[in-house]
Amino acid sequence: MKQNLLDTKDYIVFAIYFVIVAAYGLYIYNKKKSASTGSKDYFLAEGSLTWWAIGASLIASNISAEQFIGMSGSGFKMGLAIATYEWMGGLTLVIVAVFFIPVYLKNKIATMPQFLHQRYNGTVAMIMAVFWLLLYVVVNLTSILYLGALAVSSISGFDLTFCMYAIAAFAILITLGGMKVIGYTDVIQVFFLILGGLATTYLALNLVSTHYGTSGVLEGYSLMTSKASEHFQMILKPDNENYIDLPGLSVLIGGMWIVNLNYWGCNQYITQRALGADLKTARGGLLFAAFLKLLMPIIVVLPGIAAYVLYKDGAFQSEMMQDGSVNPDRAYPVLLNLLPAGLKGLSFAALTAAVVASLAGKANSIATIFTLDIYKKVLKTDASEKDLVFTGKIAVVVAMVLGVLIAPHLGIDKKGGFQYIQEYTGFVSPGIFAMFILGFFWKRSTSNAALFATIGGFGLSLLLKFLPGMMDLSFLSEIGFSVKTAAGIYEIPFLDRMGIVFVFCILGMVLISLTENRKGVANPKGLEIDASMFKTTPGFAVGALIIVGLLVALYGIYW
């Protein structure tokens, strides 16, 4: 074990967090146990989650170490521009609430593969079920586990491997209670996450003001904007070294939409929280989550920028170094270690809460897809409800064990943890989103077209990733196309790649579908959709307009 960096007060605060979450989880489990007899109740908490529990659970599942550590690291490296993932995510949640959730609920969808089976066919559904399991375990679960354990180890001084085991065990305990336990304990997790996150931001801004001989949070923020003005631009120009990750207007009108709509609208890990509720409750939960998303950059981006300002002026020179170079992902742990006793325990609890909540949500989604879309449909078609729940619990444990085994070998590159996850899930997002969006709103799209989008989209993503490095593409710059040169190698920004691949998949799907429907007969597997499904309540409409107004103001200020 490394030198312990936590004080007795920190352990007391952390113990309070642990006891509250564990006791409340046990209370919810015992209170709801009598009604927990079916698989849908276990996996979806059917009818049990309130709007505030759904919203809190969405954020708890979304915000994890890749945000606290990875996004703070991106804040250190590229500034406020990385907040576009959070702010655009808030608007995306409104869109998903209005247009996506009604379709799922009207057609009684429990899993994303079930949607594909109902809309296309069993082949498409099974291919994607297996694919999602691999993606969730190999990329998402392991990255959350690794980055979370790395952060916890940096703050506590405990061995990295021990931290992985401890976090995984805690997440398993919560996940085995089912979606109700996850949903309601996530409310407490979010409370600690926001309170501890704001405490760290407060410290970071105060550190900046103190470093320059003044005091106060507002003074610290003012100093940050003047000392690192280039870090407060939302739309990066082509000459910015970080343009490759956030290519200008693509964050507003390009690939960023595919990232967010696919993540929030076509992702079992996220939509599962709303699939067991009625439409009004589900929409209320998504709207609540959208407001919380607007708050997240204050918690996860500003500390990284503060660390950058201090580092640029001579602070943290050795703490930010790893293997002879600056590692942006060390920014958040470095700041946490400066917190006074007690507050460090609170921030430590916040980080742990974010990691554990995300792991629990991801493990539950893995278990849901495996149990309902593979075990029930292929391995044991006559499985009882009791068998399904038991299988789901076994799947949770197996997934977490695989995560612990794979995590130490995770190859997070120099982009930083957050960008690593975004880019490599981006290889498949355009094809999946194309398959879903046409599946929703165009009844003539066919199963073969969906397979083309999945396989062809992935293939083109790989081609556009590696082919430019082998060719002289300088002529593209002359016609205004986004090409970034790094060490003499041409590379298309991954958000632009996603936009290109998405258009390719849509066109391919349309051509294949029209060819297969020469007689103009609509696909008989089209979903049940009518215009009345998309009407919203006045309260939801007002909330949505407030979010749009806030986003317009934020982008106007930090353009």
Side-chain angles (χ1 to χ4, degrees), residues 160-202:
L160 176 64
T161 303
F162 170 79
C163 290
M164 277 197 288
Y165 290 157
I167 290 171
F170 191 14
I172 287 174
L173 287 175
I174 291 176
T175 313
L176 291 179
M179 180 52 77
K180 282 193 294 288
V181 174
I182 293 172
Y184 282 107
T185 55
D186 277 350
V187 176
I188 300 175
Q189 307 273 39
V190 164
F191 172 78
F192 277 96
L193 185 158
I194 292 177
L195 189 62
L198 288 175
T200 306
T201 301
Y202 179 85

mmCIF file of all heavy atoms in Angstrom, residues 160-202:
data_model
loop_
_atom_site.group_PDB
_atom_site.id
_atom_site.type_symbol
_atom_site.label_atom_id
_atom_site.label_comp_id
_atom_site.label_asym_id
_atom_site.label_seq_id
_atom_site.Cartn_x
_atom_site.Cartn_y
_atom_site.Cartn_z
ATOM 1 N N LEU A 160 -3.709 0.246 -6.539
ATOM 2 C CA LEU A 160 -4.654 0.336 -7.643
ATOM 3 C C LEU A 160 -5.503 -0.930 -7.769
ATOM 4 O O LEU A 160 -6.727 -0.859 -7.949
ATOM 5 C CB LEU A 160 -3.899 0.589 -8.955
ATOM 6 C CG LEU A 160 -4.738 0.628 -10.232
ATOM 7 C CD1 LEU A 160 -5.720 1.790 -10.199
ATOM 8 C CD2 LEU A 160 -3.834 0.739 -11.461
ATOM 9 N N THR A 161 -4.867 -2.077 -7.672
ATOM 10 C CA THR A 161 -5.600 -3.341 -7.798
ATOM 11 C C THR A 161 -6.621 -3.507 -6.680
ATOM 12 O O THR A 161 -7.766 -3.913 -6.915
ATOM 13 C CB THR A 161 -4.627 -4.535 -7.783
ATOM 14 O OG1 THR A 161 -3.672 -4.367 -8.835
ATOM 15 C CG2 THR A 161 -5.367 -5.850 -7.974
ATOM 16 N N PHE A 162 -6.219 -3.157 -5.456
ATOM 17 C CA PHE A 162 -7.150 -3.234 -4.329
ATOM 18 C C PHE A 162 -8.358 -2.323 -4.564
ATOM 19 O O PHE A 162 -9.500 -2.703 -4.279
ATOM 20 C CB PHE A 162 -6.443 -2.837 -3.033
ATOM 21 C CG PHE A 162 -7.378 -2.652 -1.863
ATOM 22 C CD1 PHE A 162 -7.862 -3.747 -1.165
ATOM 23 C CD2 PHE A 162 -7.788 -1.373 -1.484
ATOM 24 C CE1 PHE A 162 -8.743 -3.576 -0.095
ATOM 25 C CE2 PHE A 162 -8.658 -1.195 -0.425
ATOM 26 C CZ PHE A 162 -9.138 -2.300 0.273
ATOM 27 N N CYS A 163 -8.105 -1.120 -5.074
ATOM 28 C CA CYS A 163 -9.195 -0.174 -5.341
ATOM 29 C C CYS A 163 -10.165 -0.726 -6.379
ATOM 30 O O CYS A 163 -11.384 -0.557 -6.244
ATOM 31 C CB CYS A 163 -8.626 1.166 -5.809
ATOM 32 S SG CYS A 163 -7.758 2.090 -4.509
ATOM 33 N N MET A 164 -9.629 -1.390 -7.413
ATOM 34 C CA MET A 164 -10.507 -1.984 -8.423
ATOM 35 C C MET A 164 -11.397 -3.054 -7.809
ATOM 36 O O MET A 164 -12.602 -3.114 -8.074
ATOM 37 C CB MET A 164 -9.679 -2.573 -9.571
ATOM 38 C CG MET A 164 -9.273 -1.554 -10.611
ATOM 39 S SD MET A 164 -8.755 -2.289 -12.166
ATOM 40 C CE MET A 164 -7.180 -2.976 -11.682
ATOM 41 N N TYR A 165 -10.811 -3.907 -6.989
ATOM 42 C CA TYR A 165 -11.589 -4.975 -6.345
ATOM 43 C C TYR A 165 -12.671 -4.388 -5.436
ATOM 44 O O TYR A 165 -13.825 -4.845 -5.434
ATOM 45 C CB TYR A 165 -10.673 -5.884 -5.532
ATOM 46 C CG TYR A 165 -9.746 -6.750 -6.346
ATOM 47 C CD1 TYR A 165 -8.568 -7.257 -5.799
ATOM 48 C CD2 TYR A 165 -10.034 -7.062 -7.663
ATOM 49 C CE1 TYR A 165 -7.707 -8.055 -6.544
ATOM 50 C CE2 TYR A 165 -9.180 -7.848 -8.425
ATOM 51 C CZ TYR A 165 -8.017 -8.342 -7.859
ATOM 52 O OH TYR A 165 -7.178 -9.131 -8.603
ATOM 53 N N ALA A 166 -12.298 -3.383 -4.639
ATOM 54 C CA ALA A 166 -13.236 -2.803 -3.678
ATOM 55 C C ALA A 166 -14.400 -2.102 -4.384
ATOM 56 O O ALA A 166 -15.563 -2.268 -4.006
ATOM 57 C CB ALA A 166 -12.501 -1.820 -2.770
ATOM 58 N N ILE A 167 -14.096 -1.313 -5.428
ATOM 59 C CA ILE A 167 -15.137 -0.613 -6.174
ATOM 60 C C ILE A 167 -16.068 -1.605 -6.855
ATOM 61 O O ILE A 167 -17.298 -1.459 -6.846
ATOM 62 C CB ILE A 167 -14.504 0.345 -7.204
ATOM 63 C CG1 ILE A 167 -13.828 1.513 -6.494
ATOM 64 C CG2 ILE A 167 -15.556 0.863 -8.176
ATOM 65 C CD1 ILE A 167 -13.002 2.379 -7.416
ATOM 66 N N ALA A 168 -15.474 -2.625 -7.469
ATOM 67 C CA ALA A 168 -16.276 -3.645 -8.160
ATOM 68 C C ALA A 168 -17.206 -4.361 -7.183
ATOM 69 O O ALA A 168 -18.377 -4.607 -7.482
ATOM 70 C CB ALA A 168 -15.367 -4.640 -8.863
ATOM 71 N N ALA A 169 -16.691 -4.696 -5.988
ATOM 72 C CA ALA A 169 -17.503 -5.396 -4.988
ATOM 73 C C ALA A 169 -18.669 -4.531 -4.521
ATOM 74 O O ALA A 169 -19.809 -5.005 -4.394
ATOM 75 C CB ALA A 169 -16.631 -5.795 -3.802
ATOM 76 N N PHE A 170 -18.412 -3.256 -4.275
ATOM 77 C CA PHE A 170 -19.467 -2.330 -3.832
ATOM 78 C C PHE A 170 -20.544 -2.206 -4.917
ATOM 79 O O PHE A 170 -21.746 -2.228 -4.642
ATOM 80 C CB PHE A 170 -18.845 -0.974 -3.511
ATOM 81 C CG PHE A 170 -19.780 -0.026 -2.792
ATOM 82 C CD1 PHE A 170 -20.964 -0.455 -2.217
ATOM 83 C CD2 PHE A 170 -19.448 1.321 -2.690
ATOM 84 C CE1 PHE A 170 -21.816 0.425 -1.551
ATOM 85 C CE2 PHE A 170 -20.294 2.215 -2.033
ATOM 86 C CZ PHE A 170 -21.480 1.760 -1.466
ATOM 87 N N ALA A 171 -20.103 -2.093 -6.181
ATOM 88 C CA ALA A 171 -21.049 -1.966 -7.298
ATOM 89 C C ALA A 171 -21.901 -3.226 -7.442
ATOM 90 O O ALA A 171 -23.099 -3.149 -7.729
ATOM 91 C CB ALA A 171 -20.291 -1.685 -8.594
ATOM 92 N N ILE A 172 -21.298 -4.390 -7.236
ATOM 93 C CA ILE A 172 -22.043 -5.647 -7.325
ATOM 94 C C ILE A 172 -23.143 -5.687 -6.277
ATOM 95 O O ILE A 172 -24.288 -6.072 -6.557
ATOM 96 C CB ILE A 172 -21.105 -6.859 -7.163
ATOM 97 C CG1 ILE A 172 -20.249 -7.035 -8.424
ATOM 98 C CG2 ILE A 172 -21.902 -8.145 -6.902
ATOM 99 C CD1 ILE A 172 -19.184 -8.110 -8.296
ATOM 100 N N LEU A 173 -22.823 -5.268 -5.047
ATOM 101 C CA LEU A 173 -23.809 -5.285 -3.963
ATOM 102 C C LEU A 173 -25.042 -4.447 -4.320
ATOM 103 O O LEU A 173 -26.185 -4.856 -4.074
ATOM 104 C CB LEU A 173 -23.189 -4.754 -2.669
ATOM 105 C CG LEU A 173 -22.195 -5.687 -1.961
ATOM 106 C CD1 LEU A 173 -21.581 -4.978 -0.766
ATOM 107 C CD2 LEU A 173 -22.893 -6.977 -1.522
ATOM 108 N N ILE A 174 -24.805 -3.274 -4.910
ATOM 109 C CA ILE A 174 -25.913 -2.408 -5.294
ATOM 110 C C ILE A 174 -26.678 -2.996 -6.475
ATOM 111 O O ILE A 174 -27.910 -3.029 -6.494
ATOM 112 C CB ILE A 174 -25.402 -0.993 -5.638
ATOM 113 C CG1 ILE A 174 -24.891 -0.300 -4.364
ATOM 114 C CG2 ILE A 174 -26.501 -0.157 -6.294
ATOM 115 C CD1 ILE A 174 -24.284 1.052 -4.604
ATOM 116 N N THR A 175 -25.943 -3.514 -7.468
ATOM 117 C CA THR A 175 -26.573 -4.010 -8.690
ATOM 118 C C THR A 175 -27.444 -5.234 -8.436
ATOM 119 O O THR A 175 -28.497 -5.387 -9.063
ATOM 120 C CB THR A 175 -25.495 -4.368 -9.740
ATOM 121 O OG1 THR A 175 -24.549 -3.301 -9.829
ATOM 122 C CG2 THR A 175 -26.130 -4.572 -11.109
ATOM 123 N N LEU A 176 -27.036 -6.094 -7.531
ATOM 124 C CA LEU A 176 -27.799 -7.308 -7.259
ATOM 125 C C LEU A 176 -29.191 -7.002 -6.704
ATOM 126 O O LEU A 176 -30.089 -7.854 -6.751
ATOM 127 C CB LEU A 176 -27.039 -8.214 -6.282
ATOM 128 C CG LEU A 176 -25.760 -8.862 -6.834
ATOM 129 C CD1 LEU A 176 -25.093 -9.720 -5.774
ATOM 130 C CD2 LEU A 176 -26.062 -9.697 -8.074
ATOM 131 N N GLY A 177 -29.390 -5.801 -6.189
ATOM 132 C CA GLY A 177 -30.704 -5.430 -5.684
ATOM 133 C C GLY A 177 -31.696 -5.074 -6.779
ATOM 134 O O GLY A 177 -32.881 -4.889 -6.504
ATOM 135 N N GLY A 178 -31.221 -4.954 -8.021
ATOM 136 C CA GLY A 178 -32.111 -4.626 -9.124
ATOM 137 C C GLY A 178 -32.199 -3.132 -9.391
ATOM 138 O O GLY A 178 -31.613 -2.310 -8.689
ATOM 139 N N MET A 179 -32.975 -2.781 -10.428
ATOM 140 C CA MET A 179 -33.046 -1.389 -10.872
ATOM 141 C C MET A 179 -33.661 -0.461 -9.823
ATOM 142 O O MET A 179 -33.288 0.713 -9.733
ATOM 143 C CB MET A 179 -33.833 -1.301 -12.188
ATOM 144 C CG MET A 179 -33.956 0.104 -12.744
ATOM 145 S SD MET A 179 -32.370 0.973 -12.903
ATOM 146 C CE MET A 179 -31.720 0.199 -14.378
ATOM 147 N N LYS A 180 -34.580 -0.954 -8.998
ATOM 148 C CA LYS A 180 -35.159 -0.086 -7.967
ATOM 149 C C LYS A 180 -34.086 0.388 -6.995
ATOM 150 O O LYS A 180 -34.014 1.553 -6.641
ATOM 151 C CB LYS A 180 -36.261 -0.837 -7.205
ATOM 152 C CG LYS A 180 -37.575 -0.941 -7.934
ATOM 153 C CD LYS A 180 -38.681 -1.396 -7.017
ATOM 154 C CE LYS A 180 -38.469 -2.812 -6.532
ATOM 155 N NZ LYS A 180 -38.690 -3.816 -7.565
ATOM 156 N N VAL A 181 -33.251 -0.555 -6.539
ATOM 157 C CA VAL A 181 -32.182 -0.196 -5.601
ATOM 158 C C VAL A 181 -31.196 0.750 -6.273
ATOM 159 O O VAL A 181 -30.771 1.753 -5.689
ATOM 160 C CB VAL A 181 -31.468 -1.459 -5.085
ATOM 161 C CG1 VAL A 181 -30.254 -1.075 -4.233
ATOM 162 C CG2 VAL A 181 -32.426 -2.317 -4.277
ATOM 163 N N ILE A 182 -30.838 0.462 -7.526
ATOM 164 C CA ILE A 182 -29.916 1.331 -8.259
ATOM 165 C C ILE A 182 -30.518 2.733 -8.400
ATOM 166 O O ILE A 182 -29.874 3.742 -8.120
ATOM 167 C CB ILE A 182 -29.616 0.745 -9.660
ATOM 168 C CG1 ILE A 182 -28.831 -0.560 -9.541
ATOM 169 C CG2 ILE A 182 -28.824 1.747 -10.501
ATOM 170 C CD1 ILE A 182 -28.676 -1.296 -10.855
ATOM 171 N N GLY A 183 -31.777 2.789 -8.827
ATOM 172 C CA GLY A 183 -32.416 4.074 -9.079
ATOM 173 C C GLY A 183 -32.495 4.957 -7.851
ATOM 174 O O GLY A 183 -32.147 6.145 -7.895
ATOM 175 N N TYR A 184 -32.926 4.390 -6.725
ATOM 176 C CA TYR A 184 -33.108 5.220 -5.528
ATOM 177 C C TYR A 184 -31.785 5.509 -4.807
ATOM 178 O O TYR A 184 -31.610 6.593 -4.246
ATOM 179 C CB TYR A 184 -34.114 4.554 -4.584
ATOM 180 C CG TYR A 184 -35.544 4.763 -5.035
ATOM 181 C CD1 TYR A 184 -36.277 3.731 -5.586
ATOM 182 C CD2 TYR A 184 -36.135 6.016 -4.938
ATOM 183 C CE1 TYR A 184 -37.583 3.930 -6.025
ATOM 184 C CE2 TYR A 184 -37.438 6.229 -5.371
ATOM 185 C CZ TYR A 184 -38.161 5.181 -5.915
ATOM 186 O OH TYR A 184 -39.440 5.390 -6.358
ATOM 187 N N THR A 185 -30.849 4.561 -4.813
ATOM 188 C CA THR A 185 -29.541 4.878 -4.221
ATOM 189 C C THR A 185 -28.787 5.897 -5.071
ATOM 190 O O THR A 185 -27.973 6.657 -4.558
ATOM 191 C CB THR A 185 -28.675 3.615 -4.048
ATOM 192 O OG1 THR A 185 -28.559 2.934 -5.307
ATOM 193 C CG2 THR A 185 -29.250 2.676 -3.009
ATOM 194 N N ASP A 186 -29.096 5.938 -6.375
ATOM 195 C CA ASP A 186 -28.464 6.936 -7.241
ATOM 196 C C ASP A 186 -28.821 8.357 -6.824
ATOM 197 O O ASP A 186 -28.066 9.299 -7.071
ATOM 198 C CB ASP A 186 -28.868 6.712 -8.703
ATOM 199 C CG ASP A 186 -28.022 5.644 -9.372
ATOM 200 O OD1 ASP A 186 -27.014 5.219 -8.765
ATOM 201 O OD2 ASP A 186 -28.358 5.229 -10.500
ATOM 202 N N VAL A 187 -29.981 8.534 -6.202
ATOM 203 C CA VAL A 187 -30.355 9.864 -5.716
ATOM 204 C C VAL A 187 -29.346 10.333 -4.669
ATOM 205 O O VAL A 187 -28.893 11.482 -4.676
ATOM 206 C CB VAL A 187 -31.781 9.853 -5.120
ATOM 207 C CG1 VAL A 187 -32.125 11.220 -4.523
ATOM 208 C CG2 VAL A 187 -32.801 9.464 -6.190
ATOM 209 N N ILE A 188 -28.977 9.418 -3.759
ATOM 210 C CA ILE A 188 -27.973 9.749 -2.742
ATOM 211 C C ILE A 188 -26.605 9.929 -3.398
ATOM 212 O O ILE A 188 -25.847 10.840 -3.047
ATOM 213 C CB ILE A 188 -27.910 8.650 -1.671
ATOM 214 C CG1 ILE A 188 -29.268 8.510 -0.981
ATOM 215 C CG2 ILE A 188 -26.834 8.955 -0.638
ATOM 216 C CD1 ILE A 188 -29.349 7.365 0.002
ATOM 217 N N GLN A 189 -26.303 9.055 -4.370
ATOM 218 C CA GLN A 189 -25.016 9.156 -5.070
ATOM 219 C C GLN A 189 -24.884 10.533 -5.728
ATOM 220 O O GLN A 189 -23.826 11.169 -5.667
ATOM 221 C CB GLN A 189 -24.908 8.065 -6.149
ATOM 222 C CG GLN A 189 -25.171 6.650 -5.664
ATOM 223 C CD GLN A 189 -23.944 5.958 -5.113
ATOM 224 O OE1 GLN A 189 -23.124 6.581 -4.438
ATOM 225 N NE2 GLN A 189 -23.816 4.672 -5.373
ATOM 226 N N VAL A 190 -25.960 10.995 -6.368
ATOM 227 C CA VAL A 190 -25.919 12.297 -7.047
ATOM 228 C C VAL A 190 -25.759 13.433 -6.039
ATOM 229 O O VAL A 190 -25.063 14.418 -6.294
ATOM 230 C CB VAL A 190 -27.190 12.498 -7.907
ATOM 231 C CG1 VAL A 190 -27.362 13.964 -8.304
ATOM 232 C CG2 VAL A 190 -27.100 11.653 -9.155
ATOM 233 N N PHE A 191 -26.400 13.301 -4.874
ATOM 234 C CA PHE A 191 -26.248 14.322 -3.836
ATOM 235 C C PHE A 191 -24.777 14.459 -3.445
ATOM 236 O O PHE A 191 -24.232 15.571 -3.399
ATOM 237 C CB PHE A 191 -27.090 13.948 -2.611
ATOM 238 C CG PHE A 191 -26.845 14.837 -1.420
ATOM 239 C CD1 PHE A 191 -27.402 16.106 -1.347
ATOM 240 C CD2 PHE A 191 -26.030 14.420 -0.371
ATOM 241 C CE1 PHE A 191 -27.167 16.933 -0.254
ATOM 242 C CE2 PHE A 191 -25.786 15.234 0.718
ATOM 243 C CZ PHE A 191 -26.363 16.499 0.776
ATOM 244 N N PHE A 192 -24.113 13.343 -3.158
ATOM 245 C CA PHE A 192 -22.691 13.378 -2.799
ATOM 246 C C PHE A 192 -21.849 13.841 -3.982
ATOM 247 O O PHE A 192 -20.870 14.577 -3.817
ATOM 248 C CB PHE A 192 -22.231 11.991 -2.326
ATOM 249 C CG PHE A 192 -22.533 11.721 -0.885
ATOM 250 C CD1 PHE A 192 -23.672 11.020 -0.522
ATOM 251 C CD2 PHE A 192 -21.687 12.161 0.121
ATOM 252 C CE1 PHE A 192 -23.963 10.770 0.811
ATOM 253 C CE2 PHE A 192 -21.963 11.922 1.453
ATOM 254 C CZ PHE A 192 -23.108 11.228 1.807
ATOM 255 N N LEU A 193 -22.223 13.386 -5.188
ATOM 256 C CA LEU A 193 -21.476 13.745 -6.394
ATOM 257 C C LEU A 193 -21.466 15.261 -6.596
ATOM 258 O O LEU A 193 -20.403 15.865 -6.804
ATOM 259 C CB LEU A 193 -22.140 13.039 -7.580
ATOM 260 C CG LEU A 193 -21.522 13.109 -8.976
ATOM 261 C CD1 LEU A 193 -22.032 11.928 -9.803
ATOM 262 C CD2 LEU A 193 -21.890 14.394 -9.695
ATOM 263 N N ILE A 194 -22.630 15.881 -6.500
ATOM 264 C CA ILE A 194 -22.723 17.322 -6.734
ATOM 265 C C ILE A 194 -22.105 18.112 -5.583
ATOM 266 O O ILE A 194 -21.336 19.061 -5.804
ATOM 267 C CB ILE A 194 -24.190 17.735 -6.958
ATOM 268 C CG1 ILE A 194 -24.694 17.159 -8.286
ATOM 269 C CG2 ILE A 194 -24.334 19.257 -6.942
ATOM 270 C CD1 ILE A 194 -26.160 17.439 -8.564
ATOM 271 N N LEU A 195 -22.410 17.710 -4.337
ATOM 272 C CA LEU A 195 -21.871 18.430 -3.185
ATOM 273 C C LEU A 195 -20.345 18.348 -3.148
ATOM 274 O O LEU A 195 -19.653 19.366 -2.995
ATOM 275 C CB LEU A 195 -22.466 17.859 -1.895
ATOM 276 C CG LEU A 195 -22.166 18.633 -0.607
ATOM 277 C CD1 LEU A 195 -22.755 20.035 -0.688
ATOM 278 C CD2 LEU A 195 -22.731 17.886 0.599
ATOM 279 N N GLY A 196 -19.812 17.139 -3.319
ATOM 280 C CA GLY A 196 -18.355 16.974 -3.312
ATOM 281 C C GLY A 196 -17.700 17.638 -4.509
ATOM 282 O O GLY A 196 -16.616 18.225 -4.399
ATOM 283 N N GLY A 197 -18.356 17.558 -5.678
ATOM 284 C CA GLY A 197 -17.822 18.189 -6.880
ATOM 285 C C GLY A 197 -17.756 19.697 -6.756
ATOM 286 O O GLY A 197 -16.768 20.330 -7.139
ATOM 287 N N LEU A 198 -18.805 20.281 -6.199
ATOM 288 C CA LEU A 198 -18.809 21.742 -6.010
ATOM 289 C C LEU A 198 -17.757 22.173 -4.991
ATOM 290 O O LEU A 198 -17.158 23.252 -5.127
ATOM 291 C CB LEU A 198 -20.199 22.202 -5.555
ATOM 292 C CG LEU A 198 -21.303 22.161 -6.617
ATOM 293 C CD1 LEU A 198 -22.650 22.515 -6.012
ATOM 294 C CD2 LEU A 198 -20.977 23.099 -7.782
ATOM 295 N N ALA A 199 -17.518 21.328 -3.981
ATOM 296 C CA ALA A 199 -16.490 21.646 -2.981
ATOM 297 C C ALA A 199 -15.115 21.709 -3.645
ATOM 298 O O ALA A 199 -14.301 22.602 -3.358
ATOM 299 C CB ALA A 199 -16.492 20.603 -1.869
ATOM 300 N N THR A 200 -14.856 20.772 -4.561
ATOM 301 C CA THR A 200 -13.568 20.762 -5.269
ATOM 302 C C THR A 200 -13.445 21.977 -6.174
ATOM 303 O O THR A 200 -12.373 22.601 -6.264
ATOM 304 C CB THR A 200 -13.431 19.472 -6.093
ATOM 305 O OG1 THR A 200 -13.642 18.344 -5.251
ATOM 306 C CG2 THR A 200 -12.041 19.373 -6.715
ATOM 307 N N THR A 201 -14.522 22.333 -6.878
ATOM 308 C CA THR A 201 -14.496 23.514 -7.748
ATOM 309 C C THR A 201 -14.251 24.781 -6.924
ATOM 310 O O THR A 201 -13.480 25.662 -7.323
ATOM 311 C CB THR A 201 -15.816 23.630 -8.520
ATOM 312 O OG1 THR A 201 -16.016 22.453 -9.303
ATOM 313 C CG2 THR A 201 -15.801 24.848 -9.437
ATOM 314 N N TYR A 202 -14.918 24.859 -5.781
ATOM 315 C CA TYR A 202 -14.731 26.002 -4.882
ATOM 316 C C TYR A 202 -13.264 26.134 -4.471
ATOM 317 O O TYR A 202 -12.684 27.221 -4.527
ATOM 318 C CB TYR A 202 -15.621 25.824 -3.650
ATOM 319 C CG TYR A 202 -15.506 26.932 -2.623
ATOM 320 C CD1 TYR A 202 -16.244 28.097 -2.749
ATOM 321 C CD2 TYR A 202 -14.649 26.810 -1.528
ATOM 322 C CE1 TYR A 202 -16.144 29.125 -1.820
ATOM 323 C CE2 TYR A 202 -14.536 27.828 -0.592
ATOM 324 C CZ TYR A 202 -15.286 28.978 -0.745
ATOM 325 O OH TYR A 202 -15.177 29.986 0.177
#
